[in-house]
Amino acid sequence: YAQVNSDLNSWRSHQTFDLSTIISLLQLPHLDIEKEISDRALKPLDDYDWQVIRSYIATGRQWLQNYADEEEKLVIYLDKMPERSKEIDSVQANYLSKLSDRLTKIEQWQADILQTESFAVSKELEIPQKEAFKAIYLSFLNKEKGPKAGSLFSFLDRNFVIERLHSASSLD
């Protein structure tokens, strides 16, 4: 929470947001990034918090535009099932089905809770985490890797996530 404010040459407390989270939010066109950050803040954000956060947003935009390679960029397939979801095998499909069922019971749609459930289901089914999460990313991003699944889910509509997992689990 603390950062040196060079103008005052003193410690100044502010709320921080992980740059990778901000970069993920920037790539979700259906979100208002400042509203999303405000909603996720631990306490109300003051002017200094917003100054720091807006500098992170600018840095994230610059990185995405000038430095990120295609593998680092997110494209969430909201309107259709990604082509690579056909690569999901029967073990992964079972994982997605169980995860879909589990997520219907989650009361608080929060990144850390969703991440914990994603790990718990893979452990219960004894599917390697790498393979479990690959199935998630193929279902939403058309890629084998992506951001933390819990964060990804938390940025998306609950019903959309549950339905997409269910649909991806029943592909032939």
Side-chain angles (χ1 to χ4, degrees), residues 4-28:
V4 175
N5 181 333
S6 58
D7 296 335
L8 301 175
N9 198 22
S10 63
W11 286 96
R12 171 67 164 92
S13 177
H14 72 276
Q15 291 188 67
T16 61
F17 283 81
D18 182 74
L19 185 58
S20 65
T21 299
I22 289 176
I23 288 170
S24 294
L25 290 172
L26 284 168
Q27 296 180 81
L28 302 173

PDB file of all heavy atoms in Angstrom, residues 4-28:
ATOM      1  N   VAL A   4       6.586   5.849  -2.370  1.00  0.00           N
ATOM      2  CA  VAL A   4       7.217   7.139  -2.143  1.00  0.00           C
ATOM      3  C   VAL A   4       6.603   8.148  -3.093  1.00  0.00           C
ATOM      4  O   VAL A   4       6.532   7.935  -4.291  1.00  0.00           O
ATOM      5  CB  VAL A   4       8.747   7.067  -2.372  1.00  0.00           C
ATOM      6  CG1 VAL A   4       9.369   8.449  -2.252  1.00  0.00           C
ATOM      7  CG2 VAL A   4       9.382   6.112  -1.382  1.00  0.00           C
ATOM      8  N   ASN A   5       6.137   9.251  -2.557  1.00  0.00           N
ATOM      9  CA  ASN A   5       5.640  10.351  -3.363  1.00  0.00           C
ATOM     10  C   ASN A   5       6.806  11.299  -3.552  1.00  0.00           C
ATOM     11  O   ASN A   5       7.197  12.015  -2.634  1.00  0.00           O
ATOM     12  CB  ASN A   5       4.466  11.027  -2.649  1.00  0.00           C
ATOM     13  CG  ASN A   5       3.890  12.175  -3.455  1.00  0.00           C
ATOM     14  OD1 ASN A   5       4.590  12.795  -4.256  1.00  0.00           O
ATOM     15  ND2 ASN A   5       2.617  12.449  -3.240  1.00  0.00           N
ATOM     16  N   SER A   6       7.387  11.317  -4.737  1.00  0.00           N
ATOM     17  CA  SER A   6       8.611  12.086  -4.962  1.00  0.00           C
ATOM     18  C   SER A   6       8.394  13.587  -4.803  1.00  0.00           C
ATOM     19  O   SER A   6       9.303  14.310  -4.441  1.00  0.00           O
ATOM     20  CB  SER A   6       9.191  11.777  -6.336  1.00  0.00           C
ATOM     21  OG  SER A   6       8.243  12.056  -7.333  1.00  0.00           O
ATOM     22  N   ASP A   7       7.167  14.060  -5.055  1.00  0.00           N
ATOM     23  CA  ASP A   7       6.898  15.494  -4.899  1.00  0.00           C
ATOM     24  C   ASP A   7       7.017  15.923  -3.438  1.00  0.00           C
ATOM     25  O   ASP A   7       7.474  17.013  -3.134  1.00  0.00           O
ATOM     26  CB  ASP A   7       5.499  15.844  -5.399  1.00  0.00           C
ATOM     27  CG  ASP A   7       5.355  15.607  -6.895  1.00  0.00           C
ATOM     28  OD1 ASP A   7       6.369  15.640  -7.604  1.00  0.00           O
ATOM     29  OD2 ASP A   7       4.201  15.395  -7.327  1.00  0.00           O
ATOM     30  N   LEU A   8       6.584  15.070  -2.558  1.00  0.00           N
ATOM     31  CA  LEU A   8       6.598  15.406  -1.133  1.00  0.00           C
ATOM     32  C   LEU A   8       7.784  14.783  -0.416  1.00  0.00           C
ATOM     33  O   LEU A   8       8.029  15.069   0.743  1.00  0.00           O
ATOM     34  CB  LEU A   8       5.302  14.935  -0.464  1.00  0.00           C
ATOM     35  CG  LEU A   8       4.015  15.511  -1.035  1.00  0.00           C
ATOM     36  CD1 LEU A   8       2.820  14.856  -0.348  1.00  0.00           C
ATOM     37  CD2 LEU A   8       3.960  17.019  -0.858  1.00  0.00           C
ATOM     38  N   ASN A   9       8.488  13.894  -1.129  1.00  0.00           N
ATOM     39  CA  ASN A   9       9.612  13.162  -0.550  1.00  0.00           C
ATOM     40  C   ASN A   9       9.225  12.504   0.773  1.00  0.00           C
ATOM     41  O   ASN A   9       9.953  12.549   1.745  1.00  0.00           O
ATOM     42  CB  ASN A   9      10.844  14.069  -0.383  1.00  0.00           C
ATOM     43  CG  ASN A   9      12.110  13.247  -0.201  1.00  0.00           C
ATOM     44  OD1 ASN A   9      12.153  12.082  -0.586  1.00  0.00           O
ATOM     45  ND2 ASN A   9      13.127  13.863   0.358  1.00  0.00           N
ATOM     46  N   SER A  10       8.026  11.918   0.769  1.00  0.00           N
ATOM     47  CA  SER A  10       7.544  11.242   1.973  1.00  0.00           C
ATOM     48  C   SER A  10       6.755  10.006   1.549  1.00  0.00           C
ATOM     49  O   SER A  10       6.412   9.843   0.392  1.00  0.00           O
ATOM     50  CB  SER A  10       6.656  12.180   2.785  1.00  0.00           C
ATOM     51  OG  SER A  10       5.507  12.523   2.039  1.00  0.00           O
ATOM     52  N   TRP A  11       6.444   9.146   2.510  1.00  0.00           N
ATOM     53  CA  TRP A  11       5.652   7.965   2.218  1.00  0.00           C
ATOM     54  C   TRP A  11       4.198   8.379   2.102  1.00  0.00           C
ATOM     55  O   TRP A  11       3.690   9.142   2.896  1.00  0.00           O
ATOM     56  CB  TRP A  11       5.808   6.929   3.340  1.00  0.00           C
ATOM     57  CG  TRP A  11       7.136   6.252   3.288  1.00  0.00           C
ATOM     58  CD1 TRP A  11       8.245   6.589   3.992  1.00  0.00           C
ATOM     59  CD2 TRP A  11       7.501   5.154   2.469  1.00  0.00           C
ATOM     60  NE1 TRP A  11       9.287   5.765   3.668  1.00  0.00           N
ATOM     61  CE2 TRP A  11       8.856   4.866   2.714  1.00  0.00           C
ATOM     62  CE3 TRP A  11       6.822   4.387   1.529  1.00  0.00           C
ATOM     63  CZ2 TRP A  11       9.530   3.843   2.084  1.00  0.00           C
ATOM     64  CZ3 TRP A  11       7.496   3.370   0.902  1.00  0.00           C
ATOM     65  CH2 TRP A  11       8.831   3.111   1.182  1.00  0.00           C
ATOM     66  N   ARG A  12       3.536   7.845   1.116  1.00  0.00           N
ATOM     67  CA  ARG A  12       2.123   8.131   0.896  1.00  0.00           C
ATOM     68  C   ARG A  12       1.421   6.815   0.658  1.00  0.00           C
ATOM     69  O   ARG A  12       1.793   6.054  -0.226  1.00  0.00           O
ATOM     70  CB  ARG A  12       1.969   9.059  -0.317  1.00  0.00           C
ATOM     71  CG  ARG A  12       0.552   9.275  -0.817  1.00  0.00           C
ATOM     72  CD  ARG A  12      -0.273  10.052   0.221  1.00  0.00           C
ATOM     73  NE  ARG A  12      -1.468  10.587  -0.367  1.00  0.00           N
ATOM     74  CZ  ARG A  12      -2.639   9.960  -0.371  1.00  0.00           C
ATOM     75  NH1 ARG A  12      -2.761   8.777   0.185  1.00  0.00           N
ATOM     76  NH2 ARG A  12      -3.685  10.529  -0.907  1.00  0.00           N
ATOM     77  N   SER A  13       0.429   6.534   1.433  1.00  0.00           N
ATOM     78  CA  SER A  13      -0.319   5.296   1.292  1.00  0.00           C
ATOM     79  C   SER A  13      -1.338   5.443   0.163  1.00  0.00           C
ATOM     80  O   SER A  13      -1.978   6.474   0.014  1.00  0.00           O
ATOM     81  CB  SER A  13      -1.029   4.985   2.603  1.00  0.00           C
ATOM     82  OG  SER A  13      -1.816   3.837   2.471  1.00  0.00           O
ATOM     83  N   HIS A  14      -1.460   4.382  -0.642  1.00  0.00           N
ATOM     84  CA  HIS A  14      -2.488   4.332  -1.671  1.00  0.00           C
ATOM     85  C   HIS A  14      -2.852   2.880  -1.931  1.00  0.00           C
ATOM     86  O   HIS A  14      -2.099   1.976  -1.603  1.00  0.00           O
ATOM     87  CB  HIS A  14      -2.034   5.029  -2.960  1.00  0.00           C
ATOM     88  CG  HIS A  14      -0.992   4.264  -3.707  1.00  0.00           C
ATOM     89  ND1 HIS A  14       0.341   4.338  -3.413  1.00  0.00           N
ATOM     90  CD2 HIS A  14      -1.097   3.391  -4.744  1.00  0.00           C
ATOM     91  CE1 HIS A  14       1.023   3.553  -4.225  1.00  0.00           C
ATOM     92  NE2 HIS A  14       0.176   2.963  -5.045  1.00  0.00           N
ATOM     93  N   GLN A  15      -4.016   2.704  -2.528  1.00  0.00           N
ATOM     94  CA  GLN A  15      -4.430   1.356  -2.903  1.00  0.00           C
ATOM     95  C   GLN A  15      -3.817   1.037  -4.259  1.00  0.00           C
ATOM     96  O   GLN A  15      -3.872   1.843  -5.170  1.00  0.00           O
ATOM     97  CB  GLN A  15      -5.949   1.277  -2.999  1.00  0.00           C
ATOM     98  CG  GLN A  15      -6.611   1.399  -1.643  1.00  0.00           C
ATOM     99  CD  GLN A  15      -8.084   1.124  -1.751  1.00  0.00           C
ATOM    100  OE1 GLN A  15      -8.468  -0.015  -2.036  1.00  0.00           O
ATOM    101  NE2 GLN A  15      -8.889   2.133  -1.532  1.00  0.00           N
ATOM    102  N   THR A  16      -3.235  -0.120  -4.355  1.00  0.00           N
ATOM    103  CA  THR A  16      -2.644  -0.513  -5.619  1.00  0.00           C
ATOM    104  C   THR A  16      -3.483  -1.602  -6.273  1.00  0.00           C
ATOM    105  O   THR A  16      -4.212  -2.332  -5.598  1.00  0.00           O
ATOM    106  CB  THR A  16      -1.215  -1.041  -5.428  1.00  0.00           C
ATOM    107  OG1 THR A  16      -1.260  -2.189  -4.574  1.00  0.00           O
ATOM    108  CG2 THR A  16      -0.294   0.010  -4.854  1.00  0.00           C
ATOM    109  N   PHE A  17      -3.350  -1.694  -7.558  1.00  0.00           N
ATOM    110  CA  PHE A  17      -3.948  -2.769  -8.318  1.00  0.00           C
ATOM    111  C   PHE A  17      -2.838  -3.356  -9.160  1.00  0.00           C
ATOM    112  O   PHE A  17      -2.053  -2.635  -9.764  1.00  0.00           O
ATOM    113  CB  PHE A  17      -5.099  -2.260  -9.197  1.00  0.00           C
ATOM    114  CG  PHE A  17      -6.353  -2.018  -8.419  1.00  0.00           C
ATOM    115  CD1 PHE A  17      -6.514  -0.855  -7.698  1.00  0.00           C
ATOM    116  CD2 PHE A  17      -7.351  -2.972  -8.383  1.00  0.00           C
ATOM    117  CE1 PHE A  17      -7.660  -0.636  -6.947  1.00  0.00           C
ATOM    118  CE2 PHE A  17      -8.501  -2.767  -7.635  1.00  0.00           C
ATOM    119  CZ  PHE A  17      -8.656  -1.593  -6.923  1.00  0.00           C
ATOM    120  N   ASP A  18      -2.761  -4.647  -9.164  1.00  0.00           N
ATOM    121  CA  ASP A  18      -1.750  -5.359  -9.933  1.00  0.00           C
ATOM    122  C   ASP A  18      -1.838  -4.944 -11.397  1.00  0.00           C
ATOM    123  O   ASP A  18      -2.931  -4.910 -11.974  1.00  0.00           O
ATOM    124  CB  ASP A  18      -2.016  -6.856  -9.759  1.00  0.00           C
ATOM    125  CG  ASP A  18      -1.007  -7.698 -10.464  1.00  0.00           C
ATOM    126  OD1 ASP A  18       0.126  -7.776  -9.971  1.00  0.00           O
ATOM    127  OD2 ASP A  18      -1.355  -8.260 -11.503  1.00  0.00           O
ATOM    128  N   LEU A  19      -0.704  -4.617 -11.995  1.00  0.00           N
ATOM    129  CA  LEU A  19      -0.678  -4.195 -13.391  1.00  0.00           C
ATOM    130  C   LEU A  19      -1.250  -5.273 -14.306  1.00  0.00           C
ATOM    131  O   LEU A  19      -1.956  -4.971 -15.267  1.00  0.00           O
ATOM    132  CB  LEU A  19       0.741  -3.806 -13.823  1.00  0.00           C
ATOM    133  CG  LEU A  19       0.885  -3.237 -15.234  1.00  0.00           C
ATOM    134  CD1 LEU A  19       0.026  -1.990 -15.429  1.00  0.00           C
ATOM    135  CD2 LEU A  19       2.347  -2.927 -15.533  1.00  0.00           C
ATOM    136  N   SER A  20      -0.998  -6.539 -14.008  1.00  0.00           N
ATOM    137  CA  SER A  20      -1.536  -7.606 -14.854  1.00  0.00           C
ATOM    138  C   SER A  20      -3.068  -7.629 -14.805  1.00  0.00           C
ATOM    139  O   SER A  20      -3.721  -7.923 -15.809  1.00  0.00           O
ATOM    140  CB  SER A  20      -0.958  -8.968 -14.483  1.00  0.00           C
ATOM    141  OG  SER A  20      -1.355  -9.338 -13.198  1.00  0.00           O
ATOM    142  N   THR A  21      -3.652  -7.303 -13.651  1.00  0.00           N
ATOM    143  CA  THR A  21      -5.108  -7.217 -13.547  1.00  0.00           C
ATOM    144  C   THR A  21      -5.625  -6.068 -14.394  1.00  0.00           C
ATOM    145  O   THR A  21      -6.611  -6.210 -15.121  1.00  0.00           O
ATOM    146  CB  THR A  21      -5.540  -7.045 -12.080  1.00  0.00           C
ATOM    147  OG1 THR A  21      -5.106  -8.173 -11.335  1.00  0.00           O
ATOM    148  CG2 THR A  21      -7.051  -6.894 -11.961  1.00  0.00           C
ATOM    149  N   ILE A  22      -4.945  -4.939 -14.323  1.00  0.00           N
ATOM    150  CA  ILE A  22      -5.354  -3.782 -15.119  1.00  0.00           C
ATOM    151  C   ILE A  22      -5.243  -4.099 -16.607  1.00  0.00           C
ATOM    152  O   ILE A  22      -6.142  -3.775 -17.389  1.00  0.00           O
ATOM    153  CB  ILE A  22      -4.551  -2.527 -14.716  1.00  0.00           C
ATOM    154  CG1 ILE A  22      -5.007  -2.073 -13.317  1.00  0.00           C
ATOM    155  CG2 ILE A  22      -4.696  -1.414 -15.744  1.00  0.00           C
ATOM    156  CD1 ILE A  22      -4.255  -0.927 -12.728  1.00  0.00           C
ATOM    157  N   ILE A  23      -4.176  -4.772 -17.013  1.00  0.00           N
ATOM    158  CA  ILE A  23      -4.015  -5.152 -18.422  1.00  0.00           C
ATOM    159  C   ILE A  23      -5.145  -6.085 -18.847  1.00  0.00           C
ATOM    160  O   ILE A  23      -5.697  -5.942 -19.940  1.00  0.00           O
ATOM    161  CB  ILE A  23      -2.627  -5.774 -18.664  1.00  0.00           C
ATOM    162  CG1 ILE A  23      -1.561  -4.671 -18.588  1.00  0.00           C
ATOM    163  CG2 ILE A  23      -2.569  -6.506 -19.997  1.00  0.00           C
ATOM    164  CD1 ILE A  23      -0.132  -5.164 -18.567  1.00  0.00           C
ATOM    165  N   SER A  24      -5.528  -7.012 -17.986  1.00  0.00           N
ATOM    166  CA  SER A  24      -6.655  -7.898 -18.303  1.00  0.00           C
ATOM    167  C   SER A  24      -7.946  -7.094 -18.447  1.00  0.00           C
ATOM    168  O   SER A  24      -8.711  -7.297 -19.394  1.00  0.00           O
ATOM    169  CB  SER A  24      -6.828  -8.959 -17.218  1.00  0.00           C
ATOM    170  OG  SER A  24      -5.730  -9.834 -17.196  1.00  0.00           O
ATOM    171  N   LEU A  25      -8.191  -6.174 -17.528  1.00  0.00           N
ATOM    172  CA  LEU A  25      -9.404  -5.360 -17.586  1.00  0.00           C
ATOM    173  C   LEU A  25      -9.447  -4.513 -18.850  1.00  0.00           C
ATOM    174  O   LEU A  25     -10.517  -4.326 -19.446  1.00  0.00           O
ATOM    175  CB  LEU A  25      -9.494  -4.460 -16.353  1.00  0.00           C
ATOM    176  CG  LEU A  25      -9.785  -5.147 -15.025  1.00  0.00           C
ATOM    177  CD1 LEU A  25      -9.646  -4.164 -13.869  1.00  0.00           C
ATOM    178  CD2 LEU A  25     -11.167  -5.775 -15.031  1.00  0.00           C
ATOM    179  N   LEU A  26      -8.309  -3.991 -19.260  1.00  0.00           N
ATOM    180  CA  LEU A  26      -8.247  -3.175 -20.473  1.00  0.00           C
ATOM    181  C   LEU A  26      -8.663  -3.955 -21.712  1.00  0.00           C
ATOM    182  O   LEU A  26      -9.114  -3.371 -22.699  1.00  0.00           O
ATOM    183  CB  LEU A  26      -6.827  -2.621 -20.671  1.00  0.00           C
ATOM    184  CG  LEU A  26      -6.414  -1.469 -19.781  1.00  0.00           C
ATOM    185  CD1 LEU A  26      -4.916  -1.210 -19.877  1.00  0.00           C
ATOM    186  CD2 LEU A  26      -7.205  -0.204 -20.127  1.00  0.00           C
ATOM    187  N   GLN A  27      -8.530  -5.254 -21.663  1.00  0.00           N
ATOM    188  CA  GLN A  27      -8.829  -6.085 -22.825  1.00  0.00           C
ATOM    189  C   GLN A  27     -10.251  -6.632 -22.830  1.00  0.00           C
ATOM    190  O   GLN A  27     -10.612  -7.423 -23.699  1.00  0.00           O
ATOM    191  CB  GLN A  27      -7.821  -7.229 -22.905  1.00  0.00           C
ATOM    192  CG  GLN A  27      -6.407  -6.712 -23.126  1.00  0.00           C
ATOM    193  CD  GLN A  27      -5.428  -7.842 -23.215  1.00  0.00           C
ATOM    194  OE1 GLN A  27      -5.291  -8.458 -24.273  1.00  0.00           O
ATOM    195  NE2 GLN A  27      -4.767  -8.128 -22.108  1.00  0.00           N
ATOM    196  N   LEU A  28     -11.047  -6.197 -21.880  1.00  0.00           N
ATOM    197  CA  LEU A  28     -12.440  -6.630 -21.814  1.00  0.00           C
ATOM    198  C   LEU A  28     -13.315  -5.439 -22.205  1.00  0.00           C
ATOM    199  O   LEU A  28     -13.661  -4.611 -21.366  1.00  0.00           O
ATOM    200  CB  LEU A  28     -12.784  -7.124 -20.408  1.00  0.00           C
ATOM    201  CG  LEU A  28     -11.918  -8.285 -19.912  1.00  0.00           C
ATOM    202  CD1 LEU A  28     -12.206  -8.602 -18.454  1.00  0.00           C
ATOM    203  CD2 LEU A  28     -12.132  -9.516 -20.782  1.00  0.00           C
TER     204      LEU A  28
END
